[in-house]
Amino acid sequence: MEKLLKNELFRSFILSIVIFAVLMVGTATSVINSYWQGVLILCGINIILAVSLNLAAGYLGQLTLGHAGFMSVGAYTSALISIYLNLPFIVSLLIGAIAAGIIGLIIGIPVLRLKGDYLCIITLAFNEIIRVIMNNLEITNGAKGLIGIPLNTNLVYVFIAMIITIFVVYSIVKSRHGRAIISIREDETASELSGIDVGYYKVFAFAVSAIFAGLAGGLYAHYYTVILPKGFDFNKSVEILVMVVLGGMGNLKGSIIAAIVLTIIPELLISFSQYRMLLYAIVLIAAMILKGTGKGEQIMERLPFFKKKDEVKPE
């Protein structure tokens, strides 16, 4: 089992190097212009958000709607550090991610005692509380938005952050900690009776998920250079959750593909600006129907590097 895991990690590493090389050559030769570089950056940020949420919602089985709240904590923290303390970009990203993780830890300890709809509602409320706070603080410039953020995010930073996120989440899932997290999703009572510290693993998965959401937020802030509280409302949380659900709960490769598709489709429909959101909604509904009938899985299985073994099965 360990040998198979190492082989898969090695293949993934080689694939990552190949993709990175192709992207660098494409940008250097202007085959990938500045517009599509921006789209790829957004794809990378959304992949980080979807993969991190999948740890809590897919593998742990805790449906949450507060991921945009953690993203906003990371975005505002890293942006404020860059503006007022003028620290290196990497440092500001790390501090923003840690801040989001701490908030996730503080929120997770009491909130994760709840289940199902109650947990969903509480995390949604947390998301709105964070947004309202950002909307009223003087240091964040309120509803006018925080401006003057350095433009530091580029394709290289996003790609490295994306690879780190995927590697960490994958490593957790394939470890004994991951098996404990999955067992909690399958049967929480049985897991507790088996000696698994359910509370610890719930908070652990929630906090790790929040850390990477904060990292994505920092990259987002330093790409757009202006951030508004309304950009992190519950609609953003729903958008991230849709990526996870469409790609498959407990399926990392599915989350990656769904994040890419749902980021690129609106850009492809930009020429139909008058009907853009309508067409996007139709495509999204069609995708969910295909997924529900099982035909979506058949299509996904034909894609390269997508195998059904990535789906998590109870042991």
Side-chain angles (χ1 to χ4, degrees), residues 183-258:
S183 70
I184 292 170
R185 182 194 68 184
E186 297 301 326
D187 194 325
E188 187 173 322
T189 304
S191 300
E192 195 166 8
L193 292 173
S194 300
I196 294 173
D197 191 340
V198 173
Y200 167 78
Y201 281 111
K202 277 187 174 183
V203 174
F204 170 74
F206 200 69
V208 171
S209 179
I211 287 171
F212 287 110
L215 176 62
L219 292 167
Y220 179 91
H222 287 85
Y223 174 66
Y224 280 105
T225 70
V226 177
I227 49 176
L228 300 167
K230 67 180 182 180
F232 305 100
D233 61 6
F234 73 93
N235 290 313
K236 184 64 178 178
S237 289
V238 171
E239 179 185 329
I240 303 166
L241 183 61
V242 166
M243 294 177 188
V244 175
V245 174
L246 185 60
M249 303 286 273
N251 188 329
L252 286 185
K253 292 176 184 176
S255 293
I256 294 168
I257 294 170

Side-chain angles (χ1 to χ4, degrees), residues 35-49 153 155 158 219-220 223-224 236 243 259-260 263-264 267:
Y35 172 77
W36 282 105
Q37 285 182 43
V39 174
L40 290 173
I41 286 172
L42 292 180
C43 282
I45 292 172
N46 283 335
I47 287 172
I48 295 171
L49 290 167
T153 298
L155 196 54
V158 171
L219 292 167
Y220 179 91
Y223 174 66
Y224 280 105
K236 184 64 178 178
M243 294 177 188
I260 293 171
T263 304
I264 291 178
E267 302 302 326

Side-chain angles (χ1 to χ4, degrees), residues 11 22 53-54 67 95 98 107 114 124 138 155 163 172 183 207 243 250 287 306:
R11 289 195 299 270
V22 170
L53 180 59
N54 212 341
H67 216 52
I95 294 175
I98 292 169
I107 295 296
L114 303 173
L124 177 60
E138 186 176 343
L155 196 54
I163 293 300
I172 290 173
S183 70
M243 294 177 188
F306 184 90

Side-chain angles (χ1 to χ4, degrees), residues 65-76 103 107 122-146 227-237:
L65 280 175
H67 216 52
F70 299 126
M71 182 185 178
S72 68
V73 170
Y76 275 98
I103 296 297
I107 295 296
I122 290 294
T123 52
L124 177 60
F126 154 72
N127 196 132
E128 288 303 294
I129 289 169
I130 291 293
R131 186 186 64 81
V132 171
I133 290 173
M134 299 302 182
N135 214 25
N136 288 278
L137 285 178
E138 186 176 343
I139 194 171
T140 62
N141 205 26
K144 296 178 182 178
L146 187 63
I227 49 176
L228 300 167
K230 67 180 182 180
F232 305 100
D233 61 6
F234 73 93
N235 290 313
K236 184 64 178 178
S237 289

Side-chain angles (χ1 to χ4, degrees), residues 59 171-183 201 204:
Y59 291 101
S171 299
I172 290 173
V173 169
K174 294 299 181 180
S175 69
R176 63 183 182 86
H177 302 293
R179 290 191 290 272
I181 289 170
I182 294 166
S183 70
Y201 281 111
F204 170 74

